[in-house]
Amino acid sequence: EAGVVQSPRYKIIEKKQPVAFWCNPISGHNTLYWYLQNLGQGPELLIRYENEEAVDDSQLPKDRFSAERLKGVDSTLKIQPAELGDSAVYLCASSLGGVADTQYFGPGTRLTVL
Amino acid sequence: DAKTTQPPSMDCAEGRAANLPCNHSTISGNEYVYWYRQIHSQGPQYIIHGLKNNETNEMASLIITEDRKSSTLILPHATLRDTAVYYCIVRVGGTGTASKLTFGTGTRLQVTL
């Protein structure tokens, strides 16, 4: 079974440019998560989707970050405009739900803002 | 979510058992104990989880104390590929807002020859 797929794996942009990350969850997983991981720290949740609905976006900086999951399957996370401090790894995870709700992570996209 | 305390780093010789401790003294009755690990430049990998009973799978064993205030992840025969940061997380079950994974800084396990 294919895992969570993310692209691109690496992205280098100049500050003030836009950038987008794509995630395709494990087939059948209705819940999708975007996390941010700064160097030397654990991942932090940005947004959680149940199907196409964003049910927890309290940690998403809405002035420059946006996300969508239009058909309840794959998802895109966008930053516009990017700032130097946005350099980090952006991780996508998905889960089947249920009581245990185990989350499975993709490899992440490493963003470098110059 | 209950806070967890883990040692920042540990060493283990290859072929020996790696025992990674985690303290979660304020855990609630409906909170699960989860373990993830993150190998360099990869996303976190799910290892195992448990509520009250000890659990074992093909990767590891999870031992939870009777009072649930601490747990130990056991890798029975560590290999160099087990070198990673190991995260112990406690969380409420289900998919509600309270069930989010809150990662700490974890334990950096170094497996050596």
Side-chain angles (χ1 to χ4, degrees):
Chain A
E1 180 181 310
V4 176
V5 178
Q6 290 189 248
S7 68
R9 289 295 316 277
Y10 305 91
K11 188 74 176 179
I12 301 174
I13 62 172
E14 294 188 346
K15 62 181 181 182
K16 300 184 180 180
Q17 294 300 305
V19 64
F21 315 122
W22 177 80
C23 172
N24 188 259
I26 294 172
S27 178
H29 283 195
N30 295 327
T31 307
L32 184 145
Y33 310 77
W34 283 103
Y35 286 83
L36 163 70
Q37 186 171 25
N38 288 306
L39 188 64
Q41 299 182 23
E44 301 173 27
L45 180 68
L46 287 173
I47 189 168
R48 175 170 65 93
Y49 281 93
E50 294 288 346
N51 298 302
E52 65 274 8
E53 182 181 1
V55 294
D56 183 0
D57 62 356
S58 58
Q59 301 303 311
L60 189 72
K62 299 181 181 65
D63 56 337
R64 296 183 301 105
F65 286 66
S66 64
E68 60 183 16
R69 193 185 185 200
L70 294 176
K71 296 183 179 179
V73 181
D74 56 350
S75 175
T76 302
L77 178 68
K78 299 178 182 178
I79 308 175
Q80 183 170 10
E83 297 179 352
L84 296 177
D86 296 331
S87 294
V89 176
Y90 292 84
L91 293 157
C92 179
S94 70
S95 69
L96 195 55
V99 176
D101 188 44
T102 301
Q103 296 179 32
Y104 297 91
F105 286 79
T109 296
R110 181 176 296 277
L111 174 67
T112 302
V113 182
L114 302 176
Chain B
D1 291 343
K3 295 187 81 172
T4 62
T5 304
Q6 299 178 252
S9 64
M10 293 182 63
D11 292 330
C12 179
E14 189 176 36
R16 304 297 291 269
N19 298 284
L20 291 88
C22 180
N23 286 321
H24 31 79
S25 59
T26 60
I27 191 170
S28 299
N30 63 346
E31 288 183 311
Y32 289 77
V33 179
Y34 275 78
W35 283 84
Y36 281 79
R37 72 180 182 184
Q38 190 168 24
I39 297 170
H40 183 61
S41 296
Q42 297 184 23
Q45 178 188 22
Y46 165 76
I47 301 174
I48 199 167
H49 74 277
L51 183 62
K52 296 180 181 178
N53 300 320
N54 298 336
E55 302 287 344
T56 295
N57 63 20
E58 65 278 5
M59 291 183 66
S61 295
L62 173 60
I63 308 298
I64 303 174
T65 58
E66 191 169 346
D67 63 7
R68 302 186 69 238
K69 293 185 177 182
S70 66
S71 60
T72 301
L73 178 74
I74 301 173
L75 307 178
H77 305 287
T79 71
L80 297 177
R81 288 176 293 181
D82 293 320
T83 293
V85 177
Y86 287 76
Y87 295 99
C88 169
I89 302 165
V90 294
R91 59 174 285 239
V92 174
T95 58
T97 302
S99 67
K100 69 177 182 179
L101 290 174
T102 301
F103 289 81
T105 52
T107 295
R108 183 172 298 277
L109 176 67
Q110 180 69 53
V111 181
T112 58
L113 291 172

